[in-house]
Amino acid sequence: MNKNKIFKWALPFIFLAVSLSFLFFYQRSKIEEMTYYEFLEKVESNQVEEVILNSNPKMKVRLKEGSDKIYVTDNPRNPELKEFLLKQQIQVVEDDSATFSNILRGVFMIGIFFAFLRYMSKNFGQQSAKDMMNIQTSALPGPNKTYSFNDVADNEEAKEEVKDIIDFLKKPEKYIKYGARMPRGIIFYGPPGTGKTLMAKAIAGEAGVPFFSVSGSDFVQMYVGVGASRIRSLFEKARKAGKALIFIDEIDALGKKRAASVTGGNDERDQTLNALLTEMSGFKENEGIIVIAATNRLDVLDEALLRPGRFDRQVEIALPDVKGREEILRLHGKNKPLSDEVDFSKLAKQTVYFSGAMLENLLNEAAIMAANRNAKAISLKDIDKAFYKIIAGSEKKDRSNILEKDREITAFHEAGHALVTKLIAPGHTVSKVTIIPSTKGAGGFSMNIPPDKMYHTKKDMEVQIMISLAGRAAEELIFGEDNITTGASNDIEKATQIIRDYVVKYGMSKSLGLLNIDVLFNNQSQAFSEEALIKECSKHMERLYKETRNLIIEHKYYLNQIAKGLLYKESLSEEDLDDIMEDKFSISDSVNEKEDLLPMVKCNRVVEAR
Ligand code: ADP
Ligand code: ZN
């Protein structure tokens, strides 16, 4: 510890000691006790100048001699005392400012105490001191910098989904007029560092309302009742501000599904969660307060949180695809001197699976390295070094290899789903196909929305099963039977559910006939029915899988094209898909001619071998 540090440590203690002793001696040096008997004697002997009466059990006495000294003695609180003293020609002051000065002193003491705590927590980050502060101050409005959508690159879908919220925060009256009820809570879910907090701040900034934030993890291990009272004071502050956006980070720390354990739940967490739900249902319609919570995992949240009138809108904030990464890099590179060799579109391709925070960090680390070298600009080498620093821990060669393989498998798997959808279900909406993993599942997913219908035909159900099986079928065709992956587990689950209903509920399987198997066996599983059921279901599944595979083989060219598009763009829109199917899609502008088109070659080989 150097001198400076010792001084820094000692300073608050010296300050505290000085202020306390000042208060102590101020009282002790000027004030002295005297008995009531002594007081009466002094009155008799005409030594008393003034008596200060107030509601305290003690009264103050000033003598004619040494009048800067004050004596205190018992106050008999006898209404006749005043008259008696006045008759002795003693000044009587009825003064409640004495208590006032006590209050002042108290306030002063508390002030010093908190100044001390604050100093401690600021300088030394001491958790305990910080906690005490937190309990008092709950959430403070966030930093003064206001954000706007210009600070958030990419995330277009999320921006679109919160547009009406911004308008509502700006003009709640408008919505009142139409009797509309706006959501009170929104959940942002997605991997860490994808800009959920940033997005919430930007919404507050765009709407021009104050931003209040807390984190669910702050509430972990608090004393019972403290969390709930912090929640209440947070909402109170927001209400006082009029309109406001309340942001709760890591809501899962607070609102995890309650485990049905014998030992009972976590009382503190439940109380805090209940306080939150009560506050949320407490604010008036259209008050202009909105709560946004963030989590990495939507599936672990307590359903109570997701009910209408609570967090009834869920917005995914996903990892950026290659285009998104380029935009984020450009945004954070704007105020940095970069050498000409730095090519953001290339860098975006090399940073697969990077979050926005990682990209920001990448450029920041590179800038620090350039500054350390006193270089004019950030070079490609700085960026390379920063890159390996960020993905440190994993061996670079192996890792990038695995990533590339993963990407290929995912691309063909998703291409399988997309291709079969386009071929046999032209009425379905494929809003997006991507190989960027989402929190909903490993690998990518294609959003495949069947048209709304009252009845589903036998054909509809078979189509849905074929779409589900197409991912696995594509994997098998391209990479071989031994290399199929676990990536299809969700698909198989979905397909199995449908085929079960097909056979058991709807009597669509000819050989079992028009029977509801559950009713037939009185909802009790029987060895016989199980065996027959498995046989029947797998027979249909087998048939549909074969059909799916043949379909893909027949259109292998398009499978290749979609997979190729996915490998280069990482996500494809419905228009992109249509363009591919109509041979209008060109990836030449995003593909460097010299770059290896290995997946294409491999695909041809394997498919043709069959
Ligand atoms: P999350 O709350 O999802 O964990 P944050 O909002 O805390 O992520 O993001 C951390 C930082 O990463 C941001 O402050 C910003 O610098 C950067 N960042 C993340 N996503 C984006 C984005 N879409 N555009 C610009 N910067 C981003
Ligand atoms: Zn799949």
Side-chain angles (χ1 to χ4, degrees), residues 423-462:
L423 290 174
I424 62 174
H428 288 215
T429 316
V430 183
S431 59
K432 189 176 166 187
V433 189
T434 177
I435 57 170
I436 296 291
S438 81
T439 42
K440 280 188 191 133
F445 70 106
S446 31
M447 263 190 274
N448 157 40
I449 304 158
D452 251 350
K453 279 203 250 179
M454 188 124 76
Y455 298 114
H456 290 284
T457 63
K458 182 174 163 181
K459 186 80 207 154
D460 290 341
M461 292 178 84
E462 292 187 346

Side-chain angles (χ1 to χ4, degrees), residues 151-155 191-198 328 331-332 356-357 360:
D151 299 303
V152 189
D154 195 38
N155 282 350
T194 43
K196 296 181 287 297
T197 312
L198 183 67
I328 295 171
L331 181 76
H332 289 288
E360 192 269 341

Side-chain angles (χ1 to χ4, degrees), residues 591-609:
V591 178
N592 180 339
E593 293 303 331
K594 280 185 224 112
E595 271 177 285
D596 195 1
L597 294 182
L598 189 68
M600 178 70 178
V601 178
K602 199 158 46 187
C603 180
N604 281 337
R605 181 171 52 80
V606 179
V607 173
E608 247 127 47

Side-chain angles (χ1 to χ4, degrees), residues 528-554:
F528 163 75
S529 71
E530 276 172 20
E531 203 180 303
L533 202 58
I534 293 174
K535 229 168 136 191
E536 193 62 20
C537 288
S538 44
K539 185 183 87 191
H540 286 289
M541 204 72 113
E542 195 55 34
R543 167 175 65 86
L544 293 168
Y545 186 67
K546 251 190 205 140
E547 221 174 294
T548 310
R549 250 183 39 182
N550 289 339
L551 200 64
I552 295 178
I553 292 173
E554 201 181 317

Side-chain angles (χ1 to χ4, degrees), residues 413-414 417 468 471 487-488 491:
H413 179 108
E414 298 308 326
H417 287 308
S468 294
D491 300 333

Side-chain angles (χ1 to χ4, degrees), residues 500-528:
R500 187 184 190 284
D501 290 349
Y502 180 100
V503 172
V504 171
K505 271 197 195 164
Y506 304 123
M508 286 175 176
S509 175
K510 276 201 188 106
S511 45
L512 281 188
L514 272 170
L515 294 170
N516 182 316
I517 310 292
D518 281 341
V519 173
L520 193 63
F521 290 106
N522 219 356
N523 288 321
Q524 243 137 52
S525 62
Q526 303 239 337
F528 163 75

